[in-house]
Amino acid sequence: MKGKVDAVNITDNQTGVVRMASWAASLLAIQEGLEPNYQMVCRDRNRLAMQADILGVYAHGVRNMLCLSGDHQQFGDHPKSKGVYDIDSIQLISTVRGMRDDGKFSTG
């Protein structure tokens, strides 16, 4: 794919099925010379964990992010797992924007 695509989409437990963490797959993509489009869903982590992951991937060179609510876990391979949904995707976008533009976490 190198030299043929602008970016690769790295999903975050798409369809509620356990897969490699999107941050880890994004780092592997960077190592291969690809530009990751890192996805983060609100289903699986609270705002503390999301902000920590955002800082971590940014420190490793990830610059593109797609913020999503996430597919409901009942459709995946762990249907009895609990969704977190501490914030929704719109709030996540606002959090990311505040971190990027103002250098502030969601608490200000």
Side-chain angles (χ1 to χ4, degrees):
M1 291 189 295
K2 191 174 175 181
K4 305 283 185 199
V5 299
D6 294 322
V8 291
N9 195 37
I10 309 293
T11 61
D12 188 10
N13 292 329
Q14 181 184 8
T15 64
V17 174
V18 174
R19 294 177 169 82
M20 180 186 294
S22 57
W23 64 263
S26 292
L27 298 184
L28 290 174
I30 289 172
Q31 289 174 4
E32 293 299 318
L34 299 168
E35 181 72 31
N37 185 30
Y38 169 68
Q39 287 188 8
M40 178 176 281
V41 300
C42 300
R43 176 194 57 226
D44 301 324
R45 50 182 84 71
N46 67 22
R47 69 189 77 197
L48 292 165
M50 286 189 264
Q51 290 173 104
D53 286 352
I54 292 164
L55 289 173
V57 297
Y58 187 84
H60 284 282
V62 174
R63 298 297 183 261
N64 302 300
M65 183 175 177
L66 179 60
C67 304
L68 302 162
S69 296
D71 300 317
H72 197 281
Q73 64 275 10
Q74 74 182 4
F75 302 114
D77 60 354
H78 287 77
K80 293 185 180 186
S81 66
K82 303 266 190 260
V84 177
Y85 299 107
D86 182 31
I87 59 176
D88 63 27
S89 58
I90 301 302
Q91 292 168 310
L92 178 56
I93 291 168
S94 178
T95 297
V96 172
R97 183 180 299 124
M99 292 173 74
R100 181 195 66 196
D101 296 347
D102 304 325
K104 295 181 179 180
F105 294 120
S106 62
T107 56

